[in-house]
Amino acid sequence: MRMRMRRGHHRAALLAALLSIAVATGPAPASGDPGPGGSGEVRQEGVVRGGSGPVPGAAVTVYEAGTRFGDRPRRLGGARTDDRGRFRVAYSPPRDPGAVVYVTADARPADGGAGGRARTTPPVRFAAVLTGAAGGPGRRLGVTERTTVAAGFALAQFTRDGGFAGPWPGPRNAASVAHNLADVTTGGVSPILAAPPNGGQTSTLRAFNSLADALAACTARARDCAQLFEAARVPGGELPRDTLQAVADIARAPGTRPGAVFALARRRPVYTPALDAAPTAWTLALRYEGNGREFDGPGNIAFDRAGDAWVVNNYVWARDPRDPACGGRELLRIRPDGRDAPGAPYPGGGLYGAGYGVAIDRSGDVWAANFGFQGRGCALDPDPLFRSVSQFDPRGRALSPPQGWRQGDFVQPQGLATGRDGTVWVANCGNRSVTRIPRGRPGRAENIPVGDGKLVKPFGVALDGRGRAWVTGNGSDSVAVFGPEGNLERTVTGGGLRRPMGIAADSRGNQWVSNSGGVRVPCEDDTSQDLADSAGPAGGPTADGASVILLDPDGSTPEASFTTGSLLLPWGIAVDGADTVWVADFSGQRVTRLCGVRTEACPPGHRTGQPISPASAGYGFDGLVRNTGVQVDPSGNVWLTNNWELVPLQTNPGGRQLVVFVGLAAPVRTPLIGLPRPL
């Protein structure tokens, strides 16, 4: 998914100025000729267009986003549009090459109204993100409702009072995602959103255009602005002041008043194709497939400090799912905008058929657990291949030998987590044990067996603030708690634990466990066919015991587990920077959001464990298949792994994409080591 660059015939000084405002991972922003202030000043040209045509008299401003929450964006330059909506702004670019630069255009609705109340500022605010935009010298901007929706969603977690501010790398990465929704050189739909695996294959393009239609209604008529702001208001929050803030508020609370927003979109339909019915929530999700020949059963994700996604793959990619696929042998690394990182994917290190286990340690090294997944008909014997973990440095170079690190008696390892002292913990699904690698030194790895049926099919691992490891037992309906030195402190049972899968800590040291209710993990004597049989048909009835439970830091269980109609077959689980809880579903093509222990971060009146997403549907998306891993990145995007197809052929059941819900969660500082921390 590479963006094309048009070559210009301008001076080298101009190119240096352009590069000074490009993000480190993307092409230069669209800028024009040197301005009258000399070679260090650039001149940006463009046009502001609403659904009804050019917007004259709009106040256009170029800003540099603030670098901390609460900062005021820095004004770089401004101008007004002429009677054809055209503008030209001369400004000096920021010195920081990672700065986020964007344009706003403020205008009153075409009917001249004030938007529902006395205002000193216009209610219509268009926006377009310059940083990372495609195009080269001389390319003009198209600032439209579509670019406004793109900016508002991608930077939703960094938007306050109609401007952008937040710490690195959140806004920078979010800016690159904005360009996957809208093309700021034309003001239209981005090629990423317009084409497979997005485009007509999912509902996102139609939802995106419908949101732009809702803004177009406000651009045309002040009364519709007032209705838009009321529909967009976050529960318990203030009324948005302008359309950009309204978009960001919809992104952060997408299930609040979906019908009211849709009614506005139908009032002035301009952009096509659009939705023909109101969604249950206004989410925008993108599918990423890297180079198109690498994803085959992605199992889980770990984000590094810069927000790149490191992904483990169950299988070797094959075009035809009827062809037997052996275990995946490459570690994937995906930029925030869905492109492969340079040199990725990375082979070697004994990697083979990794499943749910991937984590990044304090040095930036990436660890993967070699479960040994392979499709039916693969001619390889997996036994010698599922007895190791692999280690890669931050550049993707294998540090483990060709057979992987084997000290520690690994057997079909699954979940994996790293501690603040560098210790690595691995759940051995195949031999009822946990392996501890002190300070990340494989030669000192020790195996910790758990007998008496207290930990059968160890699967997920999470650490708390004291360095203890919490490990789910899928086959024993239990969670085992290990002290920092590896001693088994206790085994937790009851409280609703039933076929548990993922586990995630919140900032207060509580542990959240996703109970599948029925998934039989394919280790010990169970096979992938047993997993398929236990999962049942996609979208089937809720599994008996499907739920989420909360364990206190002392390991005590609640009187009852948390259930909701959107939890059909819970698998992966993650906690965001506001301690709200995200649950991936292996059956229902959805992700569920639950209120965490910090109820002040939830809608008013919500209790811990109560769904924030629609209770019966969650945040659904027709581009999801069967999902295992879910993680939150530093921009507030929620990533899920399309792990298995809806109808999985056991020769090669793997799904082919990552799915990213844009701007939906509170950002998390990465890598995730121990307890989650807000950005």
Side-chain angles (χ1 to χ4, degrees), residues 10-11 13-14 32-43:
H10 299 277
R11 295 180 300 173
L14 169 61
D33 298 325
S39 61
E41 191 174 71
V42 295
R43 188 165 54 215

Short mmCIF file of all heavy atoms in Angstrom, two decimals, residues 10-11 13-14 32-43:
data_model
loop_
_atom_site.label_atom_id
_atom_site.label_comp_id
_atom_site.label_asym_id
_atom_site.label_seq_id
_atom_site.Cartn_x
_atom_site.Cartn_y
_atom_site.Cartn_z
N HIS A 10 11.15 22.10 -8.45
CA HIS A 10 11.38 23.23 -7.56
C HIS A 10 12.76 23.12 -6.95
O HIS A 10 13.43 22.10 -7.04
CB HIS A 10 10.30 23.27 -6.48
CG HIS A 10 8.91 23.43 -7.05
ND1 HIS A 10 8.38 24.63 -7.40
CD2 HIS A 10 7.97 22.50 -7.32
CE1 HIS A 10 7.16 24.45 -7.86
NE2 HIS A 10 6.89 23.16 -7.82
N ARG A 11 13.10 24.16 -6.26
CA ARG A 11 14.45 24.25 -5.75
C ARG A 11 14.72 23.26 -4.62
O ARG A 11 13.83 22.86 -3.91
CB ARG A 11 14.71 25.67 -5.24
CG ARG A 11 14.66 26.71 -6.37
CD ARG A 11 14.93 28.10 -5.85
NE ARG A 11 13.93 28.48 -4.84
CZ ARG A 11 14.04 29.59 -4.14
NH1 ARG A 11 15.06 30.40 -4.30
NH2 ARG A 11 13.11 29.88 -3.24
N ALA A 13 16.05 23.85 -1.87
CA ALA A 13 15.68 24.45 -0.57
C ALA A 13 14.23 24.16 -0.23
O ALA A 13 13.88 23.94 0.94
CB ALA A 13 15.92 25.95 -0.59
N LEU A 14 13.37 24.18 -1.25
CA LEU A 14 11.96 23.87 -1.01
C LEU A 14 11.81 22.43 -0.56
O LEU A 14 11.08 22.13 0.38
CB LEU A 14 11.15 24.09 -2.28
CG LEU A 14 9.70 23.55 -2.25
CD1 LEU A 14 8.91 24.24 -1.15
CD2 LEU A 14 9.04 23.72 -3.59
N GLY A 32 3.32 24.00 -1.41
CA GLY A 32 3.51 24.64 -2.69
C GLY A 32 4.85 25.31 -2.83
O GLY A 32 5.85 24.87 -2.30
N ASP A 33 4.88 26.44 -3.55
CA ASP A 33 6.11 27.14 -3.84
C ASP A 33 6.64 27.87 -2.62
O ASP A 33 5.92 28.17 -1.69
CB ASP A 33 5.87 28.16 -4.95
CG ASP A 33 5.43 27.49 -6.23
OD1 ASP A 33 5.91 26.39 -6.50
OD2 ASP A 33 4.59 28.08 -6.94
N PRO A 34 7.95 28.23 -2.64
CA PRO A 34 8.47 29.07 -1.58
C PRO A 34 7.71 30.39 -1.53
O PRO A 34 7.37 30.97 -2.54
CB PRO A 34 9.93 29.28 -1.97
CG PRO A 34 10.25 28.16 -2.89
CD PRO A 34 8.99 27.85 -3.60
N GLY A 35 7.42 30.84 -0.32
CA GLY A 35 6.68 32.09 -0.16
C GLY A 35 7.60 33.28 -0.18
O GLY A 35 8.82 33.18 -0.34
N PRO A 36 7.04 34.47 0.03
CA PRO A 36 7.82 35.69 -0.06
C PRO A 36 8.83 35.84 1.07
O PRO A 36 9.72 36.67 1.00
CB PRO A 36 6.75 36.79 0.04
CG PRO A 36 5.59 36.13 0.73
CD PRO A 36 5.62 34.73 0.27
N GLY A 37 8.68 35.03 2.14
CA GLY A 37 9.60 35.15 3.25
C GLY A 37 10.94 34.48 3.01
O GLY A 37 11.80 34.50 3.87
N GLY A 38 11.15 33.86 1.87
CA GLY A 38 12.41 33.20 1.58
C GLY A 38 12.25 31.70 1.47
O GLY A 38 11.16 31.16 1.52
N SER A 39 13.42 31.01 1.32
CA SER A 39 13.38 29.59 1.03
C SER A 39 12.84 28.77 2.19
O SER A 39 12.42 27.65 2.00
CB SER A 39 14.79 29.10 0.67
OG SER A 39 15.67 29.31 1.77
N GLY A 40 12.84 29.31 3.44
CA GLY A 40 12.33 28.56 4.57
C GLY A 40 10.83 28.61 4.71
O GLY A 40 10.27 27.91 5.54
N GLU A 41 10.16 29.43 3.91
CA GLU A 41 8.71 29.56 4.01
C GLU A 41 8.05 28.85 2.84
O GLU A 41 8.53 28.90 1.72
CB GLU A 41 8.33 31.04 4.00
CG GLU A 41 6.87 31.30 4.35
CD GLU A 41 6.57 32.78 4.48
OE1 GLU A 41 6.58 33.46 3.42
OE2 GLU A 41 6.35 33.25 5.60
N VAL A 42 6.95 28.16 3.12
CA VAL A 42 6.23 27.46 2.07
C VAL A 42 4.84 28.06 1.92
O VAL A 42 4.32 28.71 2.82
CB VAL A 42 6.13 25.95 2.37
CG1 VAL A 42 7.49 25.29 2.37
CG2 VAL A 42 5.41 25.70 3.67
N ARG A 43 4.27 27.85 0.78
CA ARG A 43 2.96 28.41 0.48
C ARG A 43 2.04 27.26 0.10
O ARG A 43 2.30 26.52 -0.84
CB ARG A 43 3.08 29.41 -0.66
CG ARG A 43 1.81 30.20 -0.92
CD ARG A 43 2.10 31.41 -1.79
NE ARG A 43 2.80 31.04 -3.01
CZ ARG A 43 3.72 31.79 -3.60
NH1 ARG A 43 4.08 32.94 -3.08
NH2 ARG A 43 4.30 31.39 -4.71
#
